[in-house]
Structures are given as C-alpha cells and as structure tokens.
Amino acid sequence: MSQYSYNRRALMKAMLAISATPWGINSRAFASSCDDRILRIGGLGGGPDSMNPFATWGSFWPLAICYDFLVCIDAQRYDDRKGFAQSWSVADDNLTWTFKIWPGMKWSDGQPATARDAAFTYSYLHDSIGKPDELNVGWNSTSGLENVESIKAFDDETLQIVTKFPATWPIDNIIMIVPEHIWKDISYADARVTFRNDPPLVGTGPMIVSEFHQGQFTRLTPNPYFRTGKPQIAGVILRSFDAADPIAQGLKSGELDYGNYLTSAQWADLSKDPDIVVGESRIAQKTYLAFNTASGDGAGSTKALQDPAFRDALGYAIDQKAIVDRAMRGHADPGVGPVMPVAADYYSDLNDIRRHFDLAEAGRRLDAAGYRDTNGDGIREDKEGKSFQLELVTGPSANIEMPVAAVQFIAGWLGQIGIPVSVTRLDSGALSARAAAPANGGGRWDLLISDTWLGPTPKDLLIFGSSNAIGIQNKAYWTNAEFDKLFAEVQVTIDLKKNQKLVDQAVRLIYTEAPYIVLCYPTLLEARRKDCFEGWGTQGIMSMDSYFPFNRLKPL
C-alpha cells in the first residue's frame, strides 16, 4: 500500500484509543481531575489495532507521539516541532541529503538514540524490497525507498541519504524512527504480522505508550529522556467514540480536556461555554465531485462525461459558496482546484479562469457544446440523442463527511439546467467497489462525491489526476499525458519556485479539463477546556501531523 493512499479520518480514528462501547463517559477508570495532571482526549472512531508501525495503518497518534519522524510536515513548518533530525540540508547535486541528529539524544529506556538508529530503520525497510515479506503494510513502509541509492550513518550525529534522482522524499516521508536495539532481531515476517511491540514502547517522542488494550484504551506517560526535557503533564489517555455527542458532553462536564470532529451545532454550543476554547483548523482535505471519464470498461451512462466541454459547463451549475454557507455552516473554504489553502506555497484561487455559479451560463455552454433539449421536455439530450439521467453515487466518508444537503443542492442545480440526477447512497464497502478502477471491476457510475486528505507536497496535491493512481486517488479515471508529464516532473524537482510553476501549470490543466469539480476544503472543528492545562496551539489547538503540543503542555 502506498503511503500516499491512506485517508486522514481513518488515521484520526485510529489515533484515538478507546472504544466507547465497553466504557461509558463516566467510567471511574477514566474520570477526569485536574489534580492527577493526566490529559484526556476524545475523538471519533474505533480503537487502534497494533503498536507496531510496520504492521498497521491505524494507531497513528499514539505512535506519532511516541516515535519521531526524521523530519516530515510539522518540522518543515515550525522550529519548535523538530523530529529525530535537528537540521538537514541537500547538496548542490540535489541528490545527497545530510541530517544532523540531536546530540546526546536518548531513547526512553536511556539508550543512546543516534544516526545509526535512523540508518537502521530505513535500511531495514529498504532491504525488504522484493522479498516475500516486504514491509509495505504499515506506516513504516517501503514506499519511496525504491528510489533511494544509499543510506549511511557517518557518526552518531550524521545521517546521509542519497536518492537516485532529485526528490524531497527524505524530508517528506512518514517513516517513524525505531531503536535498532529493539528491532534488529525481528524478522520481516514477524515485523509484518506477528510482532506486537507490546508496551512500554521505546521511543524518542515526548510521551511513551505505557499501556495498550486493543479496542479499549491507550495510556501514555512522559518520556524522562525527551530531548527538550521531560514533559510536565503526568500522562495522556486517548479515547474514541462512535458519535460526537459524548465528546461534546465530556468537554462540558470536564471528563475530557480536548475533543475533535465536532459538529457545527456542538461547536457553536461549546463556543458559549466560558470554560471552553473552540478551534477551527484548516486541514489538507478536499471534497469533490468526480466525473466518470472512462471509456470502455467501467464507463458511465453517456459519452458526454468524457467531454471536457460538458464537464466545464456543469461546473457553472455548482455553487461552492452555497455549499460552504448552507451545507457546511461556514466551516469550510469554497473549492477551486486540487490545492487546498493550507498548502500555502502552492495554493491559487485561479481568479483569472475560475468558474462562477451561473445557471444561465451553464445552459449556454451546454447548448454550444451540442447538449440541447430538442423536444422541449425540459431534459437535454447527449450527442447520440439519448436523454440525460445521471447517477450520482455517494456514501460515508472516512474524512469530514459532506452533508446530505450538499448532495441535494447539486442534484437540484443540475436538474434546473436539464440534467436530471438520481442519487445512490452506498455503504462503505459497496462505495469502494464502485469507485475502484475499471480494471478491478469498478465504474459504471456517472458522478461521484468523494474526498481526500493527504499532505501538502506537490505529489500529494496532484496525485488525484495521475493515470498511475486510477481507482485509488484518481477517482475520475482521468488520463492526460501532459498532466502525467508535469506530475512526474514535480517529483524530481526540489527548487520551490520551479515546483510552484509546475504545480500551477498542472492545476490549471486539470481545472480546465474538469474531471473534478472541487466542492470545498472542510475545516476541523475542535475544542479544549481551559481549567487544567496550558500550552495549547493557537493556530490549531493540536497538530494533526506530529506530537505537538504534548511536549509543552503544563498543568495549571
């Protein structure tokens, strides 16, 4: 599985650690009190399945708090959120990356944590490539390592990674650095399946997993050897719930200190509580309407879906602002292209080519493209003379879900321009099967509402247009040789300004061809209590990408 194919609410669900089913919010085992200095967190989803980062795509948050990435997203944005590497640089050849590891850093068991541990982690994965038990089923995956030429630790503080072509993978990858003295004797077969990595874990993060019961809870305690000092809180309990109501109730009662994935109504209610601070964070999710552009196997009900002029015209019949204001209650940014506002280095509002909601203009463009209502029945015909009746497929999302109201708006708008739409809502399994690549039995739908939450790198931003990602991130089944060329080029370009130009070209191309209409970029609604802890974030109470703010929280 590619590290780029995970979705982020699945990640967030797995971050949080206790199922609400066996434990009520008022369970004495988890009752909150400021006196014990234990932070209690609640969110949506089921409990984690494993503490082995080589064997799970779940459990992200406990693992990301306990283990460090070499660099990754937050360390590139914030000086106070560095990972295993204190600093890094790339040589003039754009191939040779040098990382300086924190001097004197220790694992939570007191053993030295050095560049040799980082070299071991990457080499352990790299050397599994092509073997029957290749390590490609968890966060610590071989994805990307096939393009690495060499990995060397020159001394305790110096790691070198040389790539086969220019790439930012060495600083973007989401591999968690593990201690060689714990993992060196673990076979690939065991690491992939059977090794449980039972607590207490040995990591370099601020908090260490000290207790884990699958489907129940995860408890973390401070790392006494954390590089900037032992955290001042006494511990963390991560809990998960099947619905948002207990989270809001727990915040109000004081049973929880922090919660996320709140509904807009809960968020508004909590904002009135003097003991609670609410937050709204821009995230890397985009929610979109995909057109089935396939021909042959898996194609939709009409060839019009393969026509950029038809898709572009329908784009004028989608009111993104209304979706944000009326369906998302203001908790999103209106959709434009594949780049979200949070990816500030690459975002553009495309003002010079941007479509604006105008049903009359949509109708004019359909007429000009040859999709007219020739018999006056209010329904347009395609170029083969067949009346339109498009199927819009939707279903549950693993990320922030699009409200049903937005689906109804879209169907209504398209109906007003003579394109009737029937809505099919599927369960998650059926939706995945329909949205799979035609080669794998998917397709035979017309319109699809879906979303993705990856990262802010050029690859992550553009992958939903890649012909190599059809049925995975590319839900529209769209192929375009020029786009694929640009997509390939951004992956071997390190210079930011050059990449910005390449991304802009790719964004404008996919926007004009319109295999997708991006509906919105949702925001994450979260809240925290004021009475027990200080040191929370201000632009986002809690990071979705690293251990922050567990390293700096203090009891009041």
Side-chain angles (χ1 to χ4, degrees), residues 165-328:
F165 51 77
T168 57
W169 179 89
I171 59 173
D172 292 336
N173 71 83
I174 55 172
I175 291 169
M176 303 172 190
I177 307 302
V178 300
E180 181 178 10
H181 64 280
I182 299 294
W183 288 86
K184 64 182 179 180
D185 295 324
I186 307 299
S187 70
Y188 292 142
D190 287 345
R192 184 182 163 95
V193 181
T194 60
F195 182 62
R196 290 176 49 84
N197 198 28
D198 287 328
L201 272 58
V202 176
T204 51
M207 308 296 294
I208 302 300
V209 175
S210 58
E211 190 176 358
F212 162 60
H213 295 275
Q214 186 171 348
Q216 295 184 22
F217 70 95
T218 298
R219 186 187 301 271
L220 298 97
T221 52
N223 179 357
Y225 299 103
F226 186 60
R227 53 189 168 270
T228 58
K230 180 181 177 180
Q232 296 187 36
I233 60 175
V236 178
I237 294 175
L238 302 176
R239 308 180 59 181
S240 184
F241 299 91
D242 295 329
D245 285 344
I247 300 170
Q249 293 166 8
L251 285 164
K252 280 189 169 185
S253 69
E255 300 290 341
L256 294 175
D257 299 296
Y258 169 86
N260 57 24
Y261 282 104
L262 299 166
T263 67
S264 57
Q266 292 164 347
W267 187 87
D269 182 51
L270 291 170
S271 69
K272 302 171 186 176
D273 191 315
D275 295 322
I276 291 174
V277 174
V278 295
E280 182 172 10
S281 299
R282 279 179 165 167
I283 54 176
Q285 179 178 335
K286 53 179 171 267
T287 301
Y288 54 80
L289 177 73
F291 294 89
N292 181 346
T293 68
S295 58
D297 291 343
S301 65
T302 172
K303 290 182 180 178
L305 297 164
Q306 302 164 34
D307 182 357
F310 176 78
R311 302 191 300 257
D312 173 69
L314 266 59
Y316 284 88
I318 306 296
D319 188 347
Q320 282 97 336
K321 187 176 185 303
I323 288 173
V324 169
D325 292 344
R326 297 165 60 190
M328 302 298 292

Side-chain angles (χ1 to χ4, degrees), residues 287-289 318 323 327-328 391-395 401-415 421-425 447-450 519:
T287 301
Y288 54 80
L289 177 73
I318 306 296
I323 288 173
M328 302 298 292
E391 180 193 27
L392 190 162
V393 174
T394 185
E401 194 163 324
M402 177 62 68
V404 173
V407 180
Q408 295 170 338
F409 292 156
I410 292 168
W413 292 323
L414 296 184
V421 172
S422 63
V423 177
T424 301
R425 183 168 178 85
L447 306 173
L448 169 72
I449 290 180
S450 189
L519 303 174

Side-chain angles (χ1 to χ4, degrees), residues 290-431:
F291 294 89
N292 181 346
T293 68
S295 58
D297 291 343
S301 65
T302 172
K303 290 182 180 178
L305 297 164
Q306 302 164 34
D307 182 357
F310 176 78
R311 302 191 300 257
D312 173 69
L314 266 59
Y316 284 88
I318 306 296
D319 188 347
Q320 282 97 336
K321 187 176 185 303
I323 288 173
V324 169
D325 292 344
R326 297 165 60 190
M328 302 298 292
R329 306 291 181 89
H331 298 299
D333 291 301
V336 187
V339 179
M340 308 75 60
V342 73
D345 286 339
Y346 301 103
Y347 176 74
S348 169
D349 64 8
L350 300 178
N351 193 52
D352 57 325
I353 61 170
R354 187 172 179 174
R355 304 178 195 94
H356 297 282
F357 179 62
D358 187 335
L359 292 176
E361 179 64 18
R364 285 190 292 269
R365 288 176 178 260
L366 287 171
D367 287 342
Y371 303 103
R372 300 183 177 89
D373 174 15
T374 59
N375 59 13
D377 65 354
I379 300 175
R380 294 176 183 270
E381 296 89 39
D382 64 17
K383 293 179 180 180
E384 297 175 319
K386 297 187 300 182
S387 294
F388 283 107
Q389 178 63 57
L390 301 185
E391 180 193 27
L392 190 162
V393 174
T394 185
S397 171
N399 298 310
I400 296 176
E401 194 163 324
M402 177 62 68
V404 173
V407 180
Q408 295 170 338
F409 292 156
I410 292 168
W413 292 323
L414 296 184
Q416 290 180 60
I417 59 170
I419 308 290
V421 172
S422 63
V423 177
T424 301
R425 183 168 178 85
L426 303 172
D427 62 32
S428 58
L431 182 63

